[in-house]
Amino acid sequence: MNEPLPVPEAASSGAGTQPDLTPQSPERKLIGRGTLVSLSLASFVPAVQFATAPLLIFSIAGPTAWVAALASMIATMCVGAAVVHFARRYIASGSLYSYVGTVFKPWARYLVGASLLGGYVMGVAALVTVVGIYMGSFLHSLGIETATDLVPLLGVGVATVVVVTAIALLGRDTSINAVVVLTAISLPLVLTIIGASVVHTGFDLSPSMDFGSFNLEATLGGAALGMAGLVGFESSSALATETQDAKRSVPWAVMAPVLVIGGGVPAVLLLTMPGMLESGDALAAGASAPAALAANAGMPIWIGQFSDLFLAIASLGSTLAFLNYSARLAQNLAGDGLLPAVMQRVDSRRGVPHIAIVAVAGVSLAWILVFSIALRNVFEMYSMTATLVIFLWVLPYIVITIAAIVGTVRKREMRPILWTASGFGAVAMTWVLIDGVRNAAPGVSSKMIYVMAFITVALIIVFRLSLRRNRTGQRPIGLTAEDIGDLPLLESDGVAR
């Protein structure tokens, strides 16, 4: 079976062709660059990242954890360089799945598509669970002792899925506005706590600059954790076909989480390290980082309590964003014949892939319910799901970095900086996978590497069976991936995907 061909944009107009529905068409309301960048940042929940990532990296790397966080940002930027290389040349809603198809044969699309689809579905499940965990923690702090039990947490999970699915079905713009507003609501409180901690302890960099306790292995472990926290940074590229001037806008949106959040975490570590060291007992007792820092800074107890509520609100926005990204990928896969054709249907009023949205939400919720009940523990289910998300996403990153090198070499382009960055990114992501296997939490989470392999193979089988049934996605005769050049990535019916 041949690979679907990206064809010239000009082929989408003229007699006997489909209507022009490319991103340049005035018939479609397009997303502006500022809106896409805002969505990209908001979907990575800055409030949660700044509240939790510093403590997690500190717990592994110690007082010099900022070095690990900075290394994770640089390594992820190298992967981002490979993604941006393709985003500047092609317009595609399949993101990494579509990009690798311009360099490699169909096996790469199947492999990356299966990993990404599994990663997105698991990512939505993990984010839904995070909403429940933070909400349960907030209610528990108010004296509701059963708030963190299995049934209440699952109830919050079901409610979360219903809410984000309903909002996603209302339309793309409604979803974008909701994600950005939820982030805007949640971020100020976290920044206030960070500021109060700095005022209380003073701007003291000496603990972070004391390299007497520096440990290379621990730093590499912290860097791997930091990179894991940035998994999915390129997800906004799934909206490329709905974005104005996509070849310029998407690269900005792809790199925004890496630069702002990836760069913000080491900054937060430098600022709050004295406060975290002073709050060691509270953190060891299980207090969240915002609550511990707020208490240490002498802030009212209710601020620490409500920080969990605001983190739940922020996570709700991220869940909504990733549900939309997931649906676009599923729609793209269906358009290529790799999933049932019904998945590419678009609501005529709202303009959203409603079947794909409901399907992703349903599978994610089923995963949460089945494994939470089987394990009788939502927290253990979350641990295994979060681990699985990382494992599933690493493989596409490795393939896209290799594709950037192979594609430019094949075209005889001299791109030494891109080659160096992509090579380092591939090595870094390989390390994330190795470190994840080595340091997986005991129990079910330690088996997730095998579950990742099973999910990937199972989805590839589904793709092949669906492709045989649909008999779509044929490449027009006479053109190959090398013939594409710098054209938008369009399918043979003239519709950008």
Side-chain angles (χ1 to χ4, degrees), residues 9 26 33 45 58-59 79 82 102 115 117 120 136 169 183 224 247 249 253 268 317 331 336 445 489 495:
E9 182 180 359
R33 181 183 301 177
V45 278
F58 164 67
S59 67
V79 179
T102 66
S115 293
L117 182 60
Y120 272 120
L169 292 174
T183 296
K247 290 184 182 180
S249 300
V268 172
Q331 181 188 26
D336 288 347
S445 295
L489 193 59
V495 180

Side-chain angles (χ1 to χ4, degrees), residues 188-202 271-272 275 278 290 293-300 303:
L189 180 61
V190 173
L191 295 180
T192 299
I193 293 173
I194 292 172
S197 178
V198 175
V199 170
H200 174 72
T201 62
L271 292 172
T272 61
E278 291 181 5
L293 289 175
N296 185 65
M299 302 179 78
I303 291 182

Side-chain angles (χ1 to χ4, degrees), residues 31-124:
I31 304 171
R33 181 183 301 177
T35 302
L36 187 67
V37 171
S38 298
L39 173 65
S40 181
L41 286 171
S43 62
F44 256 76
V45 278
V48 175
Q49 292 277 6
F50 294 154
T52 60
L55 175 60
L56 292 174
I57 299 175
F58 164 67
S59 67
I60 295 175
T64 56
W66 67 272
V67 177
L70 183 61
S72 68
M73 181 196 75
I74 294 172
T76 308
M77 283 179 63
C78 290
V79 179
V83 179
V84 166
H85 166 74
F86 288 98
R88 286 175 174 167
R89 298 186 174 206
Y90 307 108
I91 300 173
S93 63
S95 186
L96 306 184
Y97 156 77
S98 297
Y99 296 155
V100 299
T102 66
V103 176
F104 297 125
K105 292 183 178 181
W107 66 264
R109 292 191 301 115
Y110 301 153
L111 182 62
V112 171
S115 293
L116 277 182
L117 182 60
Y120 272 120
V121 172
M122 294 300 105
V124 172

Side-chain angles (χ1 to χ4, degrees), residues 241-263:
T241 60
E242 304 170 54
T243 300
Q244 186 176 14
D245 194 13
K247 290 184 182 180
R248 295 183 180 179
S249 300
V250 171
W252 282 95
V254 165
M255 295 304 292
V258 183
L259 295 174
V260 176
I261 296 175

